[in-house]
Amino acid sequence: MTLLALLTILATFTFAQPSSSKEVETVYSDAYALYLDLHQNPELSGHETQTAAKIAGRLRSLGYEVTERVGGDGVVAIMKNGTGPTVMLRTELDALPVEENTGLPYASKAHSKDDAGHDVPLMHACGHDLHMASLMGTAAVMAHSKESWHGTLILIGQPAEETIIGAKKMIDDGLFTRFTKPDVALALHTSNELPAGKVSVLAGYRYANADSVRITIYGKGGHGAAPHTTIDPVVIGARTVLALQSITSREVKPGEAAVVTVGYFHAGTKNNIIPDQAELGLTVRSYKPQIRKQLLDAIARIAKAESLAGGAVKDPMIEHYESTEAVYNDPALSQRLAPVLVPALGRQNVAIGEPVMGSEDFSYFTNQGVPSFFFGLGGADPQKYDQAKASGQSMPSNHSSLFAPDAPPALRAGITSEVAVLRNLLSGSAEDLRKNLAKTAGAN
Ligand SMILES: [Zn+2]
Ligand SMILES: [Zn+2]
């Protein structure tokens, strides 16, 4: 049965809608206060010291066994509560170098130095402050209701998600060896794709794998008035950019998700000088490993062929400098957890999500053989969302200087859904949970 079919059946039942349940309300004001604090005090990827300290201190006072500085500023908080499954819930810790233009009374005015020593504005433009506040509310509910679950709960604060190195650093620093390897890993992400108060679920691929590729084309520079004495890398580069467009339109099977974007083309300094070199920067996205290989092979082939056709002095240099794997939601886990969210939030607040071509280094955790469930958290102000829909406009996306989630309903939905999912998983035995899952983590 597909998720959609499952939710359609569930829609015929009437459930109570405890979207602002009492236990969520008891932790809400602390969680919201933390949200406002984090929002006004964002920290750059790899520099989340104060943020991590705030999270670690609060978790410790709730009774969690907390280890700090795991893979940089990573936080690992464990609560053992009898025998049962081990479940991990992640939040990210980092913010972005964006100047906040939301006009909110609690807008960030923070600045800091980036790794190159430049002064940059800072903003939680991806909503990680909301994820942290939600995790803290959830941590408090779980700590106050230990009779409602059994097993081991691992809460982690992951640094450097935006630079897609934090998850790997935590793994390399022994996240699954110094601490217990979980049976299941969970995460959520907010966006304006959905109104606040709602969540979205999805089985299978949720985020794409991403590869950053740099192509350096070697020409022969000279006077702009004497092109016959040169080999013009601008012309070779321009042809390369256009030829690369034919990969997704002509080579990849229709229906397969694939993106090849040339995000920058750097060449030259002055209008009458033909430069020696040109450089292209690409982002390459897909879900399946075979499509990923097809894209990268085609890019190399086309880049070399265009340089050859243009008479370049040598083959282009093709560098593959950053990558992350696709995030794959274990289908059996999604089938199990989607119906859990319906009574928690109300059927109208659980939507079927769509896979996106964005990327997430959460895949580093799941590729260690841990089945995962990564769900969406609505962030949009419901009124603005409806207005935008009616006028055919789109709301500011994550990373925009105008990104302003409607935090109160989103936070309540985040805590409610995390608690519901954790309680479902932290019931029964670890063996039964493992048997119940399809063991498809890392199947991408
Ligand atoms: Zn982001
Ligand atoms: Zn994010």
Side-chain angles (χ1 to χ4, degrees):
M1 192 189 295
T2 65
L3 264 190
L4 185 58
L6 190 65
L7 288 177
T8 307
I9 292 167
L10 287 165
T12 60
F13 294 94
T14 314
F15 289 101
Q17 292 167 22
S19 52
S20 298
S21 73
K22 246 192 205 162
E23 60 181 353
V24 173
E25 289 310 313
T26 60
V27 301
Y28 173 78
S29 56
D30 276 356
Y32 188 65
L34 177 66
Y35 172 73
L36 295 179
D37 177 9
L38 294 169
H39 191 88
Q40 292 172 85
N41 296 290
E43 293 181 295
L44 214 48
S45 308
H47 302 271
E48 306 92 339
T49 324
Q50 296 305 319
T51 305
K54 286 173 195 170
I55 299 292
R58 281 169 172 77
L59 288 167
R60 208 169 269 132
S61 67
L62 285 167
Y64 289 80
E65 201 179 299
V66 179
T67 308
E68 294 178 70
R69 306 286 310 153
V70 179
D73 286 315
V75 177
V76 179
I78 298 178
M79 184 166 281
K80 289 185 180 146
N81 185 25
T83 55
T86 300
V87 179
M88 179 180 105
L89 171 67
R90 180 206 73 167
T91 179
E92 316 89 321
L93 301 174
D94 53 340
L96 288 158
V98 172
E99 181 151 24
E100 179 159 358
N101 287 318
T102 59
L104 290 167
Y106 54 88
S108 164
K109 295 181 183 71
H111 277 244
S112 93
K113 294 258 185 272
D114 67 10
D115 289 336
H118 302 127
D119 182 73
V120 289
L122 292 173
M123 175 186 175
H124 266 297
C126 204
H128 298 176
D129 46 357
L130 192 54
H131 305 168
M132 285 185 266
S134 179
L135 177 134
M136 284 307 311
T138 299
V141 172
M142 296 302 281
H144 298 153
S145 63
K146 287 171 85 171
E147 72 293 343
S148 70
W149 60 280
H150 57 90
T152 300
L153 174 57
I154 306 180
L155 303 173
I156 67 162
Q158 181 205 315
E161 189 283 322
E162 295 291 356
T163 48
I164 58 169
I165 56 170
K168 183 173 188 306
K169 279 192 164 182
M170 288 190 84
I171 293 286
D172 291 348
D173 200 11
L175 178 63
F176 290 166
T177 49
R178 285 162 60 195
F179 309 94
T180 320
K181 185 173 170 181
D183 296 305
V184 168
L186 306 170
L188 54 67
H189 207 297
T190 192
S191 78
N192 277 339
E193 294 297 314
L194 205 62
K198 294 180 187 278
V199 298
S200 66
V201 294
L202 170 67
Y205 289 108
R206 168 152 194 110
Y207 290 108
N209 56 53
D211 294 281
S212 298
V213 179
R214 184 163 44 224
I215 302 172
T216 307
I217 295 161
Y218 300 102
K220 181 180 160 211
H223 203 294
H228 59 291
T229 66
T230 73
I231 294 163
D232 190 343
V234 175
V235 173
I236 298 172
R239 283 197 191 120
T240 306
V241 172
L242 289 180
L244 290 172
Q245 308 307 311
S246 67
I247 300 172
T248 54
S249 69
R250 303 289 85 186
E251 298 191 30
V252 173
K253 186 180 173 190
E256 294 287 356
V259 173
V260 177
T261 291
V262 180
Y264 71 81
F265 181 162
H266 294 161
T269 52
K270 193 171 184 297
N271 64 317
N272 64 354
I273 300 171
I274 292 168
D276 288 321
Q277 294 183 11
E279 187 180 302
L280 308 179
L282 283 67
T283 189
V284 184
R285 311 284 173 118
S286 58
Y287 294 121
K288 298 178 185 168
Q290 64 270 32
I291 302 293
R292 182 184 201 175
K293 182 172 186 313
Q294 185 184 12
L295 297 177
L296 295 173
D297 288 351
I299 288 164
R301 189 191 77 239
I302 287 169
K304 278 185 196 154
E306 289 297 343
S307 273
L308 184 68
V313 298
K314 59 179 176 178
D315 274 354
M317 178 164 66
I318 300 165
E319 294 165 280
H320 190 185
Y321 64 94
E322 244 172 18
S323 70
T324 191
E325 307 287 322
V327 172
Y328 184 82
N329 273 349
D330 184 277
L333 196 53
S334 300
Q335 291 280 359
R336 173 178 170 139
L337 296 177
V340 171
L341 293 167
V342 170
L345 293 165
R347 170 64 189 99
Q348 75 282 9
N349 290 326
V350 182
I352 298 292
E354 283 186 355
V356 294
M357 299 308 280
S359 64
E360 246 288 354
D361 70 350
F362 186 69
S363 51
Y364 269 103
F365 301 129
T366 62
N367 283 349
Q368 311 298 311
V370 181
S372 78
F373 179 65
F374 196 123
F375 61 106
L377 179 68
D381 176 317
Q383 230 176 342
K384 288 182 187 154
Y385 179 87
D386 288 343
Q387 283 165 2
K389 277 255 153 163
S391 62
Q393 307 282 316
S394 54
M395 293 191 62
S397 61
N398 296 60
H399 294 201
S400 159
S401 64
L402 300 173
F403 184 70
D406 187 1
L411 183 53
R412 287 187 168 98
I415 299 169
T416 305
S417 53
E418 285 176 348
V419 168
V421 162
L422 286 174
R423 281 193 180 139
N424 174 275
L425 293 168
L426 292 164
S427 62
S429 72
E431 292 68 37
D432 285 349
L433 176 61
R434 284 179 208 135
K435 260 186 249 159
N436 187 246
L437 300 179
K439 288 290 172 200
T440 47
N444 56 319

